[in-house]
Amino acid sequence: MTALATPVPRLPALAGALLGLTMLLLIRRYWGIDHDATLYLGQALAQRWPGNFGNDLFFLHGSQGHYTLFPWLTGWLVGWFDPIAVFFWGGLAGLLLFAAASWYCLRVLLPEGQRYWAWLGVLVLPSFYGRAIIFSYAEPFLTPRAFAEGLCLVAIGLLSRGRHVGAWACVLVAGMLHPLQAIAGLLVIWPWLVMRDRRWLHALWLALPASLAGLVGIEPFDGLFAPLDGAWLATLRAINGQLFISGWAVMDYRIMAFDVLLLACAARIHAGAFAPWCIAAVVGLGMGIIASLLLVDVLHLALPAGLQLWRVHWLAHWFAMAALAVLLFHAARRADAAQALLLVLTGLLAWGAAEWIWLPFGLLYIAWPGLATRVRPHVRRLLGWLFGLGILLLLLQYVGTELANFRMAHGRLDLYALDRRLFAFPLLALGLPLAGVYLWRNATSTARSALLVLVLCPAIVVAATRWDIRAPSRRALDAHAHVPALFGATIPGDALVYWDGVGLLGTWSVLRRADYYDPQQLSGLVFNKGTVDDASGRIARMTPLMTESMACEQARAASEPHVRCRISDTSMQQACGAGALPRPDYLVLPYRQPQRSLGSWTMEDTSTGEAIATYWLYRCTDVMTGGANGQPATPAATNAKSSGPVVAH
């Protein structure tokens, strides 16, 4: 392991960049306009066609888009270019910017040799933070988060070099793109500044004008002392549970605790510029978590709930992944294979095992420097073999699970990206590129040229071509973007459409119409109290239809060959009936109903041409006034007493 950690001969920049970017593209694949990228697409489209989206639930009471310039920028871009292309290339640009910013920051903070290990660590090791099932840095789709995170990292590098003007300019731009990620970055930057100069404690005086603005009711500070009302609080707990730290899963606390361990160990052994930032990350993480617990979980204050100060974990986790690689570097330099294997095993258990199994191994790692001097060499070697055996067993278990999942997807890489799943396993994600570094540093000049031409260049080409792993259904939707007449009928521009089973991408991107209800529209509830009541009414209206549709899909999944379903007329009429709140104008359903349809569309796999699903378009006025073929509705004709889906085999 000593040769692996030797800083010379130097790894050329081209080979190092190709190796790191290859792994980045292999692990952080593009799965399309998904997650929050869908919401930013909607905001961009609403900038271009405000009349079409004014009644959409996500925009009706205002969205969080007015806190950032990003919707305006993307709205301008989609006015000139295809939105699908904008979000594809924008997602790639954000990922590459994050990689470049990470390198710049680590190049300032770490000495040669260590910085490349740390760079690989932040690129390929698990990037999830906060509610781990939801959030991660360096997301492989277009949102302003990746750009704001990259700018914060550049700011840290500039601050470490004493270039304060450029650093604060980066923080300002990051705040204009994504204020929450920028504020999270400041929670780490400020403790670092205080450690260097205690006069930065005077920044606390800024709380006075903010408090005064809150007391007099100036937006958005009016929520600084205003508690969430009962209905709003209950809805947020049910839908946006990530806002309340006390309700997080054990895994989320486990990952955070492991990050603190890594940062503390790195700060203890590192004598350079990296150590103070590790300490600042721990302090900032503590401030963010404690403030969230007190102000949101206990006091239920509106503005702190929206600020989501726990997001500071993104930067603390970034430093922790760099710290893990640095700790491995130090173990390799001392040729302490047992300690390196112990750290790897601890990480695998912390990220993937149940409960707190990793904790005894973490405590053993902390005690290892003192323990190793008291233990005989053959005992240390035996422990190293045991740690290695544990790692091997975890690897075999993981590979077995992934192969089983791949077989369930009929061995199709477009349905289940097995290669991405295998490369994402932390042992392989970091171990493979470090093995490449070892080979390069021990190769002759001729062998290096061969590695560059025959291995690295083809690898980056393969990684680039495999980066796009959109599912067949998502590719089909993207291929029909901006086709309002998809069903062969004209849908008015101001119509409200409910598309069952497809979500916002179908309604917004394909039809370019307002969506009546989709769970993803509730992502910004914490910023818009007015959405709560409207959403409750729409959910109540659509719940019977959604429940029956879910039952139909479960019946289809459990039965072979095909199951034919339809929604009961009672649920159809409740969805389309008059009420205090607006009703949808059109329904798009994956079932052939007895009511007259305006047309249908069969979604096809763009690679194979096979049919994925067929959807029918129904007008709510037809549902309420006519039965099959437009005849008057009667209880006999519409099965009005039915209270569940009709399923036929």
Side-chain angles (χ1 to χ4, degrees):
M1 296 185 69
T2 304
L4 184 61
T6 302
V8 291
R10 185 179 178 184
L11 186 69
L14 176 60
L18 287 177
L19 180 59
L21 294 179
T22 295
M23 295 303 300
L24 178 69
L25 295 178
L26 286 173
I27 292 171
R28 309 206 192 285
R29 307 284 182 90
Y30 179 73
W31 59 79
I33 302 175
D34 196 10
H35 206 270
D36 284 359
T38 308
L39 302 179
Y40 286 106
L41 171 66
Q43 291 171 359
L45 297 176
Q47 291 284 331
R48 303 297 302 175
W49 296 279
N52 286 24
F53 295 91
N55 290 327
D56 190 284
L57 179 60
F58 186 68
F59 302 104
L60 187 60
H61 301 280
S63 72
Q64 61 265 45
H66 59 274
Y67 293 111
T68 167
L69 292 179
F70 196 73
W72 179 84
L73 293 172
T74 51
W76 179 81
L77 287 172
V78 302
W80 288 93
F81 305 102
D82 173 34
I84 305 303
V86 168
F87 274 72
F88 177 88
W89 293 108
L92 180 61
L95 200 59
L96 296 179
L97 172 66
F98 181 87
S102 296
W103 173 251
Y104 174 79
C105 182
L106 293 169
R107 188 172 181 272
V108 175
L109 300 182
L110 290 167
E112 186 176 353
Q114 296 183 40
R115 63 182 63 145
Y116 188 73
W117 283 53
W119 187 61
L120 290 175
V122 300
L123 293 189
V124 305
L125 290 176
S127 59
F128 37 70
Y129 66 90
R131 283 297 300 274
I133 61 173
I134 301 176
F135 297 97
S136 65
Y137 61 67
E139 294 163 313
F141 44 79
L142 181 59
T143 76
R145 285 195 288 265
F147 296 93
E149 290 161 2
L151 287 167
C152 286
L153 294 174
V154 172
I156 289 173
L158 290 171
L159 284 173
S160 300
R161 287 186 166 184
R163 300 178 181 178
H164 287 253
V165 174
W168 292 117
C170 287
V171 172
L172 177 62
V173 176
M176 296 168 68
L177 292 177
H178 200 289
L180 301 185
Q181 299 301 91
I183 292 172
L186 286 173
L187 285 177
V188 173
I189 290 173
W190 181 68
W192 181 85
L193 291 170
V194 171
M195 285 190 292
R196 292 173 60 87
D197 187 343
R198 291 188 178 181
R199 287 177 295 180
W200 277 100
L201 286 170
H202 289 291
L204 293 173
W205 292 109
L206 294 174
L208 290 180
S211 300
L212 181 61
L215 290 173
V216 300
I218 299 177
E219 292 186 359
F221 300 100
D222 55 340
L224 188 58
F225 303 108
L228 302 162
D229 63 40
W232 195 5
L233 178 62
T235 304
L236 288 175
R237 285 192 181 279
I239 297 174
N240 299 143
Q242 70 272 10
L243 302 177
F244 304 94
I245 295 178
S246 58
W248 286 6
V250 172
M251 178 179 68
D252 306 321
Y253 298 116
R254 190 174 69 229
I255 292 170
M256 196 181 303
F258 182 57
D259 285 347
V260 171
L261 180 145
L262 292 171
L263 293 169
C265 291
R268 184 181 63 181
I269 70 167
H270 207 279
F274 187 67
W277 281 107
C278 290
I279 297 171
V282 173
V283 174
L285 180 61
M287 291 192 302
I289 296 301
I290 293 172
S292 291
L293 282 170
L294 177 62
L295 301 178
V296 182
D297 291 63
V298 176
L299 299 178
H300 306 150
L301 299 180
L303 181 58
L307 291 177
Q308 303 171 44
L309 298 177
W310 51 264
R311 284 179 180 261
V312 66
H313 190 204
W314 86 258
L315 188 50
H317 184 67
W318 184 91
F319 273 110
M321 295 303 94
L324 189 151
V326 169
L327 293 170
L328 286 175
F329 179 91
H330 281 271
R333 187 173 59 181
R334 296 193 307 273
D336 193 342
Q339 186 184 32
L341 292 170
L342 174 58
L343 180 57
V344 172
L345 177 60
T346 305
L348 294 178
L349 292 173
W351 295 319
E355 302 301 328
W356 295 88
I357 298 175
W358 72 274
L359 190 55
F361 295 93
L363 296 176
L364 178 60
Y365 179 80
I366 294 174
W368 186 265
L371 184 64
T373 58
R374 299 184 180 92
V375 176
R376 295 182 178 181
H378 70 275
V379 176
R380 291 201 302 271
R381 286 193 295 270
L382 176 60
L383 289 173
W385 280 105
L386 291 175
F387 300 149
L389 178 61
I391 293 171
L392 178 61
L393 292 175
L394 291 174
L395 174 61
L396 293 176
Q397 180 189 37
Y398 181 85
V399 171
T401 301
E402 293 304 317
L403 289 176
N405 293 335
F406 186 58
R407 286 193 294 269
M408 291 176 62
H410 308 291
R412 289 181 54 179
L413 285 174
D414 58 336
L415 296 180
Y416 193 84
L418 177 66
D419 53 341
R420 182 257 172 193
R421 295 290 303 173
L422 293 178
F423 281 121
F425 187 65
L427 174 66
L428 301 178
L430 187 59
L432 289 176
L434 288 181
V437 172
Y438 178 81
L439 289 175
W440 182 276
R441 286 178 172 168
N442 289 277
T444 64
S445 58
T446 303
R448 289 181 183 178
S449 300
L451 285 173
L452 181 63
V453 174
L454 300 178
V455 178
L456 288 176
C457 288
I460 192 69
V461 172
V462 171
T465 55
R466 282 290 296 157
W467 184 65
D468 182 1
I469 57 168
R470 284 175 292 171
S473 59
R474 196 167 298 278
R475 289 181 183 273
L477 290 172
D478 288 347
H480 292 83
H482 198 13
V483 186
L486 183 69
F487 295 94
T490 300
I491 302 176
D494 60 350
L496 277 170
V497 181
Y498 174 80
W499 192 330
D500 185 73
V502 170
L504 297 176
L505 193 62
T507 314
W508 286 356
S509 177
V510 177
L511 301 181
R512 296 285 165 89
R513 299 295 184 265
D515 195 286
Y516 182 74
Y517 172 71
D518 185 87
Q520 199 171 7
Q521 290 171 313
L522 307 182
S523 299
L525 276 181
V526 69
F527 302 102
N528 306 291
K529 180 179 180 296
T531 305
V532 175
D533 294 335
D534 200 343
S536 299
R538 297 191 188 204
I539 292 172
R541 176 187 286 274
M542 303 306 297
T543 291
L545 187 151
M546 294 187 295
T547 301
E548 292 184 16
S549 178
M550 184 179 299
C552 280
E553 292 305 313
Q554 290 173 348
R556 283 179 168 178
S559 304
E560 292 292 345
H562 293 291
V563 171
R564 291 181 289 112
C565 295
R566 76 173 178 87
I567 303 299
S568 69
D569 298 324
T570 302
S571 297
M572 291 284 288
Q573 291 179 7
Q574 175 167 331
C576 290
L581 292 174
R583 68 179 184 181
D585 298 302
Y586 295 87
L587 304 176
V588 180
L589 303 175
Y591 315 111
R592 185 64 181 267
Q593 295 290 122
Q595 292 86 3
R596 182 180 62 185
S597 69
L598 299 181
S600 64
W601 171 59
T602 298
M603 178 189 291
E604 295 181 348
D605 189 324
T606 56
S607 300
T608 65
E610 297 178 357
I612 300 173
T614 300
Y615 296 90
W616 285 267
L617 176 68
Y618 301 94
R619 185 165 45 202
C620 267
T621 53
D622 293 338
V623 171
M624 297 306 298
T625 61
N629 300 317
Q631 297 301 314
T634 65
T638 63
N639 191 24
K641 293 183 179 180
S642 173
S643 60
V646 178
V647 181
H649 293 269

